[in-house]
Amino acid sequence: MTWLQRRVRPEQIRELSLLVLIAIAIAFFGSFIDGYYSFRTFNRIASSVAIITVVAVGQTLVVLTRNIDLSVGSIVGFTAYFVGTLIANDNGINPLLAVAIAIAMGAGLGVVNGVIVAWGRVPAVVVTLGTLAIYRGVLVDLSGAKTVTTDSLPDWLTGLPLVNVAPIGNLDIRPLFVLAVVIVVIFQFATTYLSFARRFYAIGSNPEAAQLVGLPMRGVVFLAFVICGALAGLAGFMFLVRFGNITVEAGRGLELSVVAAVVVGGVNIFGGSGTVAGAMFGAVLIGTLEQSLFRLGISEFWLDAVLGLLILLAVASDAVILQRLRALWGGAELKLVAKEADSVSGERRAPRP
Amino acid sequence: MSALERLKGWEAMMLALLCAIVALNGVWSPYFLSVGNFVNLFQLSIEKSIVALTMALVIIGGEIDLSVASVMGLAACVMAWTFHEGAPMPLAVLLALAAGALAGLNNAFWIAKVGLPSLAVTLAGLIGYRGVARILLEDRAIGGFPDWFNTLGQQALIGPLTAAILIFFLLFVFFAIVLHGSAFGRLVYVVGSNVQAARYSGVRVGLVKSALFVGSAFVAALAGILYAARLGSVRGDMAEGFELDVITAVLLGGVSIFGGKGNLVGVGLSLLVILNLRNGMGLANITGNTQNDVIGGLLILSVLIPNMWQDLHNKWKGRET
């Protein structure tokens, strides 16, 4: 046990507790729903989680730096609508170009957030609460209340959600799911192993120290917002692919689902700790609960109440599990304290940013 | 610049802005400067204004309550449901207030006792309380409340003022005294500016936070009932999305999102600025959507401009020495 304790810190295995919770949820629903363990269930959950996950990855980076981006729902709606209009007007447009435009559009909106937060020194909540309203407002004003309809979109786009990327037996792997997994893997590895990406953690866990070390504080915060915007832009494209019909209301309220995924995923809302994979597991847990409750035949009116309760329980049990692990580790550290005083991770009570 | 001077600077800025807007509106439209218009202006979003008062206290205390709009909906639905099931109206109102207090106790338990971040807890509350409201009403709309109840929401009670406006003023005075004139108010600032220091000085942090969240939910429930009285009927999705408007008003009032800073005078001024701005734009035929743009922009600029001014000031001073 001490061998294990020396090599692994509780923070590093906190995703495990989420996996356990997901497994419990699946086992629970599996015993109540006939034919629950099927590829259909998997696909249903995967496609509902994919979009949230991509936005949650960007949100994680922002939250790590002790900021928050509440404007993501508006960015998703903005890009979904305008890229949709663009494609509807010119069906021959290169698909990759369309994706690039969506990402660039999102990144552009992220630049606005980032500049005001990093160089204007305005709290992120204030800025993104403002841009949440402004981006949506610009969208409504420019659109003239028209909608993008599935009929006006080319076949490659409307058919994309049903494409089977890699047929394994009866399992259909959908492109949106693959895209989300690729994004998570890239960002998980980058934030774990690239010193450049570790800066997000450094700035969030101790801004004073990060400044003394000479990290470009403003640049890193700015970058987090730009990446978050770009990923929200990509998610906007995914939104277009998944739903086809886009009104100016598209993505409204998405920011709350994303923040819920990030918080349930164990990313510290006060910055500095948490992982991209954790955020994905948070999204998966919420998505699993949502879809499974629906299939359990619970009236749709009960769904939100149960979901709220389960999110609360998930956050609470995650906290309790982590606390227990820390206590377990804490005992081991006491014995080692003479040798490895500097490696004591301890509990970091985050001050308010 | 000391904190006090900065605070005064903020209120002066809001006051100047308010005067400018009122003057501009007065010139723009002859109807603007009438008592009827002012009452109307207040009445149209009085519920949000009421909730903004307690939200200010919660944010000054270093926390946030995202569940207020759902609690408003929950209280209104509990009231409508119990009335529909045959309970007398006063009992229904009492039960609605109790439901609000219960929701607040639930928030307080997880935040103060278990120690979870308020953002997570109240986000779950935002989803969950709305869910309970939906369970009660499903997709029905319940109306047909007794006449006295609807009159309370829609007719003037004293002079041109409706009950909701009177309640707003009473609560404003009450919370101003609580925040700025009582020991509890000082504790809210202490907890909000440095929770560790507060704990080590023997402040019962959990109790202060519990009081804030129960108070916030209770007042939100009251606002939900007033909203139901004004509209005359209740639906499950009532007041959905109000939380962002309320938080916007509080932050525009100079309350720091990081806690410990701000006061109710600023929040009162910011409410007036928003109301007058919306009203003026409405009279000038500017759509609600563009109004949101302007208020969002104002929220950002209200912090950005003083910051930039200070930067320039520092640069200029630096060159001097």
Side-chain angles (χ1 to χ4, degrees):
Chain A
M1 194 64 198
T2 39
W3 175 83
L4 192 70
Q5 282 169 337
R6 252 186 250 174
R7 262 168 188 64
V8 194
R9 285 182 296 109
E11 283 78 7
Q12 287 173 318
I13 54 168
R14 75 173 306 163
E15 282 76 33
L16 274 183
S17 75
L18 274 169
L19 276 179
V20 170
L21 286 175
I22 293 173
I24 292 174
I26 290 176
F28 174 81
F29 288 115
S31 62
F32 282 98
I33 302 171
D34 290 332
Y36 182 77
Y37 300 110
S38 70
F39 297 127
R40 272 187 62 202
T41 311
F42 170 79
N43 262 330
R44 208 172 277 177
I45 295 173
S47 61
S48 85
V49 163
I51 295 174
I52 299 283
T53 302
V54 170
V55 187
V57 170
Q59 186 73 265
T60 304
L61 298 183
V62 172
V63 171
L64 281 178
T65 63
R66 294 198 179 183
N67 287 296
I68 194 164
D69 188 349
L70 294 175
S71 69
V72 284
S74 296
I75 297 181
V76 168
F78 195 94
T79 47
Y81 183 87
F82 284 113
V83 173
T85 311
L86 195 71
I87 298 176
N89 287 339
D90 176 14
N91 274 349
I93 192 169
N94 185 336
L96 286 178
L97 181 65
V99 176
I101 290 174
I103 294 175
M105 213 180 253
L109 298 177
V111 165
V112 176
N113 288 336
V115 166
I116 303 176
V117 172
W119 281 279
R121 288 180 290 117
V122 183
V125 178
V126 173
V127 174
T128 56
L129 208 54
T131 52
L132 164 83
I134 293 173
Y135 295 161
R136 179 72 61 184
V138 171
L139 167 60
V140 175
D141 281 341
L142 290 184
S143 68
K146 288 188 208 120
T147 55
V148 178
T149 54
T150 316
D151 306 336
S152 63
L153 297 172
D155 292 338
W156 65 263
L157 192 93
T158 47
L160 199 58
L162 295 173
V163 169
N164 195 352
V165 176
I168 311 169
N170 286 327
L171 180 62
D172 293 345
I173 304 284
R174 306 288 188 215
L176 292 187
F177 170 71
V178 174
L179 186 59
V181 170
V182 167
I183 298 276
V184 169
V185 169
I186 291 175
F187 278 90
Q188 175 64 27
F189 274 97
T191 50
T192 314
Y193 296 111
L194 292 186
S195 70
F196 179 76
R198 293 302 296 179
R199 290 174 173 183
F200 294 118
Y201 286 90
I203 282 181
S205 65
N206 196 337
E208 289 82 10
Q211 190 141 36
L212 287 175
V213 170
L215 290 184
M217 307 284 284
R218 291 173 169 179
V220 175
V221 170
F222 172 73
L223 190 65
F225 274 98
V226 175
I227 294 176
C228 184
L231 287 175
L234 179 62
F237 182 79
M238 294 164 74
F239 200 92
L240 174 69
V241 169
R242 183 166 180 222
F243 295 105
N245 293 316
I246 304 290
T247 68
V248 292
E249 293 293 300
R252 196 186 276 278
L254 191 82
E255 60 278 351
L256 290 177
S257 315
V258 170
V259 172
V262 168
V263 168
V264 170
V267 179
N268 189 336
I269 206 70
F270 304 126
S273 74
T275 62
V276 167
M280 181 187 73
F281 290 139
V284 170
L285 180 58
I286 294 176
T288 306
L289 295 176
E290 243 171 353
Q291 295 294 321
S292 310
L293 285 173
F294 183 70
R295 282 196 57 196
L296 203 54
I298 283 185
S299 132
E300 59 170 318
F301 303 110
W302 279 82
L303 209 81
D304 280 348
V306 179
L307 190 64
L309 182 66
L310 290 179
I311 289 177
L312 196 56
L313 289 178
V315 176
S317 52
D318 188 52
V320 169
I321 292 173
L322 197 66
Q323 208 173 17
R324 284 284 146 81
L325 285 174
R326 275 178 179 148
L328 211 66
W329 259 249
E333 276 169 7
L334 275 182
K335 288 172 225 152
L336 296 169
V337 94
K339 266 191 272 175
E340 294 187 63
D342 56 338
S343 75
V344 174
S345 62
E347 184 188 8
R348 194 180 64 81
R349 299 281 312 190
R352 292 194 63 85
Chain B
M1 229 198 272
S2 79
L4 194 72
E5 277 172 325
R6 205 184 137 76
L7 226 58
K8 275 185 185 154
W10 186 285
E11 268 110 51
M13 189 175 83
M14 294 305 285
L15 201 61
L17 192 62
L18 181 62
C19 291
I21 293 168
V22 170
L24 215 66
N25 284 344
V27 173
W28 201 278
S29 160
Y31 306 105
F32 183 77
L33 288 171
S34 63
V35 177
N37 184 45
F38 270 104
V39 171
N40 248 335
L41 179 143
F42 245 112
Q43 179 74 350
L44 275 179
S45 55
I46 189 70
E47 298 83 14
K48 289 181 197 169
S49 307
I50 290 175
V51 177
L53 298 176
T54 38
M55 182 67 86
L57 262 72
V58 171
I59 296 182
I60 290 173
E63 301 286 341
I64 196 156
D65 188 350
L66 294 177
S67 69
V68 282
S70 293
V71 173
M72 284 172 77
L74 173 67
C77 288
V78 165
M79 182 191 74
W81 183 77
T82 43
F83 175 72
H84 192 70
E85 296 292 304
M89 200 61 196
L91 179 66
V93 170
L94 280 180
L95 283 174
L97 289 174
L102 216 61
L105 275 175
N106 180 47
N107 287 345
F109 170 78
W110 295 102
I111 294 162
K113 195 87 183 166
V114 183
L116 300 179
S118 57
L119 189 88
V121 173
T122 56
L123 194 60
L126 182 151
I127 300 169
Y129 301 145
R130 176 69 61 191
V132 177
R134 289 243 167 80
I135 293 172
L136 290 176
L137 288 206
E138 301 196 334
D139 44 12
R140 291 174 294 177
I142 293 182
F145 301 123
D147 282 340
W148 64 264
F149 184 72
N150 290 336
T151 314
L152 199 68
Q154 291 150 7
Q155 307 284 321
L157 203 63
I158 300 175
L161 302 176
T162 61
I165 296 179
L166 287 172
I167 289 177
F168 170 77
F169 283 122
L170 285 177
L171 286 179
F172 185 85
V173 172
F174 173 74
F175 282 117
I177 292 173
V178 166
L179 188 61
H180 303 300
S182 80
F184 176 78
R186 292 318 303 165
L187 291 185
V188 172
Y189 279 98
V190 170
V191 170
S193 44
N194 192 337
V195 73
Q196 278 311 14
R199 200 167 277 132
Y200 291 138
S201 337
V203 176
R204 291 161 80 183
V205 173
L207 214 60
V208 174
K209 284 185 182 174
S210 301
L212 286 177
F213 280 100
V214 174
S216 168
F218 185 80
V219 169
L222 182 67
I225 294 167
L226 291 171
Y227 193 37
R230 182 155 71 85
L231 296 184
S233 85
V234 172
R235 278 168 33 141
D237 63 353
M238 172 168 177
E240 206 161 47
F242 276 21
E243 62 277 343
L244 293 184
D245 290 343
V246 170
I247 294 171
T248 302
V250 171
L251 296 183
L252 189 60
V255 174
S256 161
I257 191 71
F258 306 129
K261 265 185 234 151
N263 62 47
L264 275 193
V265 178
V267 175
L269 283 171
S270 117
L271 287 171
L272 286 176
V273 164
I274 291 178
L275 289 177
N276 282 298
L277 203 56
R278 276 196 190 279
N279 187 250
M281 286 192 285
L283 289 177
N285 277 331
I286 295 173
T287 60
N289 183 56
T290 313
Q291 293 179 19
N292 289 342
D293 281 4
V294 172
I295 299 213
L298 189 65
L299 177 67
I300 297 175
L301 290 179
S302 69
V303 188
L304 186 61
I305 290 176
N307 278 356
M308 282 166 58
W309 189 81
Q310 205 168 14
D311 280 353
L312 283 178
H313 188 73
N314 288 348
K315 231 175 222 171
W316 182 72
K317 254 183 155 178
R319 201 173 290 162
E320 195 95 312
T321 48

